[in-house]
Structure formats: C-alpha cells, structure tokens
Amino acid sequence: MTQQLKVLIVESSRLFQTMLQDLMVRNGFEVITCHNAVTALQYVQQEDIGMVCAAYHLEDMDGISFTQKLRELPKGEQLRICLFTSEDDQELLKKALLAGATDIYNKNRFAQFVIYVQRLAQDCHKSIIGHVLLIDDSKSQRAWMKTLLENRGLDVDAFDNAEDALSAFNKHHYDLVITDIVLAGNMSGINLVREIRRTPTEKGQTAILAVSAYDDFSRRLELYHLGINDYITKPVVIEELVYRISNLVQISRLFNDLVTERKHMEKVALLDPITELYNRNAFDEFAPKELATAERGGTPFSIAILDIDYFKRVNDAYGHDRGDQVLADVGKWLRLTRRKGDMIFRWGGEEFVILMTNCKPEKAAEVLEKQRSRFNSHRHGDLLITASIGVSGVTDYSQPLTIVQLFKQADKAVYDAKGAGRDRVCLFQEQ
Ligand code: GH3
Ligand code: MG
Ligand code: MG
C-alpha cells in the first residue's frame, strides 16, 4: 500500500505480458516490463518497484532462485512477488512460498489474480479519513511520516516533543496518536502514553501507536501495559505501517461512532418524545439522587404532580393527535416557566412531575399557584386547559422520607385537588 505502486512485469510470453500490463494499468498502477530475471533484478535496484509479477519459468532463471535473489536485495523484503505458472504442482507452490514468494497464481485461472489486483488497487487508492497527532524528535523522520500520512488523506499535527503534543491533544480531537519513544524535551514517549491514558474522559481512550528504534522487549511490554494499541519498530516497512495506521484509525472512528450512538440512545431512553421532557426512566434515575443531595445538605425539597383536567374530553372531542399537541404545548410551557434548577418529567399520560430543590412545600405551592393561574390564561390553540396540582415535600430530615413516599403524598394531594373541584393547587396534609 504505497502511494503509487510501481509494478515490474517479467514475462517472455508477449500475450501474457500484455494481459498483465493491461490489468495493472486499468487498476491505476505504473508498469515496467522486461523479459528476463537479470534485467529484472537491475530494475528493482534502480527503480522504486513495489511489486514484481514474474513467470515461474524465466529464460535465465527459475522462479525460486529469482525470488530468493529478489529478497536478498536491499529493499527486497518489502516487495510483493507474484509468480505465474501453468502447472498445478503443490510441491512447486510450497517451494516458491518458502523461497519468499508472496503468492503463486495459475495462468489458466487468471480471474483469481484479477480479483487480487482489484482489491489491491482499492487498498492503494483508498484514502483514510482521520486526524493524527504525530510525535517524533527526528526532523527528517517526522517530515517523512507526515507526508506519508497526508498523502493517504489524513490530517496530521506533528511535534518534536511530548509537552507540546500533550497540549494539542487536550485541545483537539485525534483519531490516532503516533509517538516515538525517545523524544526531545523532558518528557518521554512512555510518559506521554501514561498522561494520555490518565485523561478521565473518552479522550483517554484515543488509539496510540508507539514507534521505536530500539526493540527492547521489556519496554515494549511496559508500553502495552500502559495501554498502547500497537507497536512498530524502526526502520518501518511502509506498507505494514500504513495498514496498521489504517486499521487503528478505522477502529478508533468506529469506537467514536459507537460512543456517540450510545449517548444518543441514553438520551432517547430518558426523554419523552412528545413533550421532549424527561420521562419516567429519568425520574427513577435522577429523583432519588436529588432527594439524597438535599438530605445531605439539609436543604428543603419539594415534589409536585400536575394532572391536566378532563384531558380525555380533549381526545374525545378533537382526536388523539390534537391531544398530543396539547401535551407538547404543556411540556413547552412548563419548561419555559420553571424556576431555575427545577426538573420536569412527563410521568405518563397527562401527568407531569416537577422536582423543586431548595424549596419548601409551602413555597412550592405558592409558586405553582401563580404558575397555574398563568397556565389557565395560556391558550393551547383555541382550547382552554386547566390542571390540578398536588404538592408535597420535606424540610426536616429527622424522619427521612423516600422519593416514593413523597410521590404518594403529592399524588394524594392531586386527588384532593380533583375532589375539591379541579383547577387548583393542594398541599399534602396529614389526615
Ligand atoms: P381528570 O380531570 O380526572 O384528570 O380527567 P382526565 O380525563 O384528564 O383523566 P383520565 O385519567 O380519565 O384520562 C386521561 C386521558 O389521557 C385518557 C387518555 O386517553 C389520555 N392520554 C394518556 N396518554 C395520552 C397521550 O400520550 N396522548 C393523548 N393524546 N392522550 C393521552
Ligand atoms: Mg391522570
Ligand atoms: Mg387528568
């Protein structure tokens, strides 16, 4: 997976050479052709060849010796070597692979090779989307790596020291951190990894690829222990590096998508779609905590239940959709008129719950009475809607109540308000 893969075709059959050449050019690769192994070996040394496609039987050498000679060249290790034969000889196949051939193809099943080349082309020309933080104190290495990554489509911020990189890390979102281990400045790559993993937010999970010139086993283990995702030794094999980076960036982006999705799901699970207020799940989640906080701080805490009067009639007279619109309107109205810090929930049906922290029940009733009179003068389209409200609360925690007990008290007060003629606020009274 280099920027522009240069392919050397070594084949004495003119027909097969043309077939291979056409295939490569169609898939966007640059091609050089020759007829024999000796010329091919010279080309590999002079040109920046990434892949060799050669006939198994060449006029001056067989495929196994040719492969071995290719692998012995300075950049031979990184070559893709594909050999072609017309024979289905398993022994020969095994020998070629042992000699270092990447793969061996049968000329009579050329379609298989076509598929391979198409895949390779997809990989080579695919750009990777992502933001990378690169730290390397060698100027030439840094520039080389930055160019390589940018050529693949990545956005790269490069630094020569961990301190500056860390401040960039805290400011921006990165899909991947690639860090050298020995760095300029006072902070090593190991410390940088440690600092990143210490970050308490999701940022702390950012993928990290460590690069080191010294492949020390215990240091590598320590880095994995600290939480790096991958490790690579210098000098790097470009293809391998790009594959690893591509994998890490893709996994990281998938992970981020998952986190976003999970947050969205959590939000959806706690919200009522009609009124966009918190729902009953949210009440179960937050209300006990709010009460516990009030109890710890010794501050008063009130709970109110608002139940729309004769709501069934709205549905009966105007239809369910209109009923939903009224509910949405009431939700919006409650959100707009609440005291700062009040939490509002749609409990279900036409019932709403309001949690009023730092508010005595008598005060809550007074506030809600004002709200109720304004609520009645607020027209929901051409409809006049009224509501009955029950309030309860605690000021003294010598005999603490649970949120369920408080809710039952407020519900009893709603019942009293309904009994007394509706359209009013009732404070819970012990019988
Ligand atoms: P009351 O004054 O005694 O509270 O009378 P009410 O009609 O408001 O109370 P009741 O409990 O008899 O009826 C509540 C109605 O609320 C019945 C149901 O059709 C309606 N309702 C519950 N949930 C929804 C909803 O999500 N959308 C609509 N449109 N109506 C709902
Ligand atoms: Mg009701
Ligand atoms: Mg009702």
Side-chain angles (χ1 to χ4, degrees):
M1 198 154 65
T2 52
Q3 191 45 29
Q4 165 92 58
L5 191 72
K6 211 183 265 187
V7 183
L8 175 66
I9 297 171
V10 198
E11 172 64 64
S12 51
S13 148
R14 195 157 282 270
L15 175 70
F16 198 63
Q17 191 183 91
T18 313
M19 275 169 74
L20 281 173
Q21 186 165 3
D22 282 356
L23 174 68
M24 293 301 176
V25 171
R26 251 187 294 131
N27 283 282
F29 300 125
E30 201 181 322
V31 176
I32 300 176
T33 57
C34 66
H35 304 287
N36 59 52
V38 173
T39 324
L41 289 165
Q42 280 167 2
Y43 269 131
V44 174
Q45 277 168 291
Q46 290 156 8
E47 306 272 339
D48 191 16
I49 305 286
M51 178 173 185
V52 177
C53 295
Y56 184 81
H57 296 290
L58 292 168
E59 55 194 37
D60 53 350
M61 217 178 277
D62 70 52
I64 290 173
S65 315
F66 180 54
T67 304
Q68 281 166 342
K69 287 210 170 347
L70 281 172
R71 288 288 181 228
E72 282 162 14
L73 295 175
K75 281 185 286 176
E77 226 179 63
Q78 300 184 27
L79 280 175
R80 261 171 224 276
I81 306 173
C82 294
L83 298 179
F84 295 85
T85 162
S86 310
E87 302 151 46
D88 267 332
D89 182 344
Q90 289 302 313
E91 271 307 304
L92 185 136
L93 195 119
K94 217 156 105 187
K95 274 187 200 158
L97 292 177
L98 277 173
T102 311
D103 212 345
I104 180 159
Y105 290 90
N106 192 308
K107 287 185 181 178
N108 302 322
R109 291 191 289 275
F110 193 62
Q112 286 178 357
F113 185 65
V114 173
I115 294 170
Y116 167 75
V117 172
Q118 286 168 344
R119 287 236 175 90
L120 184 65
Q122 268 177 16
D123 273 359
C124 286
H125 304 127
K126 186 173 70 182
S127 63
I128 321 166
I129 300 164
H131 197 185
V132 175
L133 179 62
L134 172 69
I135 310 104
D136 197 318
D137 62 347
S138 145
K139 196 174 173 188
S140 59
Q141 280 281 325
R142 198 166 63 242
W144 172 80
M145 184 89 102
K146 189 171 191 295
T147 310
L148 176 81
L149 298 177
E150 283 174 345
N151 283 341
R152 302 302 315 207
L154 290 159
D155 280 329
V156 183
D157 292 343
F159 296 92
D160 68 348
N161 68 84
E163 289 87 346
D164 291 345
L166 197 60
S167 86
F169 175 81
N170 289 324
K171 271 189 226 133
H172 309 288
H173 167 84
Y174 291 100
D175 297 296
L176 174 64
V177 176
I178 303 176
T179 184
D180 191 9
I181 293 311
V182 181
L183 294 172
N186 295 325
M187 202 172 166
S188 73
I190 296 187
N191 282 328
L192 176 68
V193 171
R194 195 175 285 127
E195 283 304 313
I196 290 176
R197 286 292 178 257
R198 261 196 208 144
T199 313
T201 55
E202 274 131 20
K203 251 179 183 296
Q205 300 299 311
T206 307
I208 304 175
L209 168 66
V211 187
S212 180
Y214 317 99
D215 189 17
D216 179 83
F217 178 71
S218 64
R219 185 183 310 126
R220 188 161 18 128
L221 221 58
E222 172 65 9
L223 282 161
Y224 276 117
H225 178 67
L226 286 174
I228 60 160
N229 301 80
D230 206 351
Y231 181 93
I232 201 160
T233 32
K234 285 187 202 172
V236 293
V237 177
I238 298 177
E239 289 197 23
E240 188 184 353
L241 177 72
V242 176
Y243 271 120
R244 288 197 189 196
I245 288 172
S246 170
N247 284 344
L248 286 171
V249 169
Q250 275 176 32
I251 290 169
S252 161
R253 291 182 82 84
L254 276 175
F255 175 75
N256 282 331
D257 287 352
L258 220 68
V259 170
T260 313
E261 179 72 4
R262 196 195 64 209
K263 280 189 185 157
H264 175 70
M265 295 300 283
E266 279 171 4
K267 200 170 148 199
V268 166
L270 297 180
L271 284 186
D272 164 51
I274 295 183
T275 60
E276 290 173 22
L277 292 173
Y278 283 132
N279 62 18
R280 203 160 165 160
N281 293 338
F283 180 86
D284 292 342
E285 174 84 22
F286 301 135
K289 288 181 194 156
E290 288 293 321
L291 177 60
T293 308
E295 188 175 340
R296 261 200 310 277
T299 52
F301 179 87
S302 293
I303 174 170
I305 300 175
L306 180 150
D307 186 302
I308 301 174
D309 295 328
Y310 300 122
F311 188 63
K312 196 168 173 304
R313 290 181 190 172
V314 176
N315 277 335
D316 291 348
Y318 303 96
H320 206 268
D321 286 350
R322 184 68 202 275
D324 280 0
Q325 269 174 28
V326 171
L327 289 172
D329 195 36
V330 170
K332 193 169 156 196
W333 191 86
L334 283 169
R335 245 197 329 270
L336 289 174
T337 59
R338 73 172 146 191
R339 283 183 342 147
K340 204 169 162 226
D342 285 356
M343 292 178 92
I344 307 167
F345 304 82
R346 180 175 175 213
W347 179 256
E350 23 69 272
E351 288 163 29
F352 298 84
V353 177
I354 308 160
L355 295 183
M356 303 168 87
T357 49
N358 220 345
C359 187
K360 291 181 183 168
E362 294 75 17
K363 177 70 184 167
E366 204 182 301
V367 170
L368 289 162
E369 177 53 38
K370 272 194 206 132
Q371 234 170 313
R372 186 199 59 83
S373 56
R374 273 189 263 139
F375 179 73
N376 288 359
S377 55
H378 173 82
R379 287 198 164 266
H380 305 269
D382 52 354
L383 284 174
L384 198 59
I385 302 285
T386 66
S388 301
I389 302 169
V391 185
S392 180
V394 270
T395 42
D396 163 20
Y397 293 92
S398 55
Q399 284 179 316
L401 291 168
T402 64
I403 196 77
V404 176
Q405 287 167 317
L406 279 174
F407 183 89
K408 281 188 182 154
Q409 291 182 353
D411 200 35
K412 165 82 176 45
V414 174
Y415 184 80
D416 292 345
K418 295 278 182 193
R422 296 179 168 78
D423 190 15
R424 68 195 61 216
V425 178
C426 273
L427 191 57
F428 170 74
Q429 309 283 352
E430 297 277 5
Q431 292 301 307

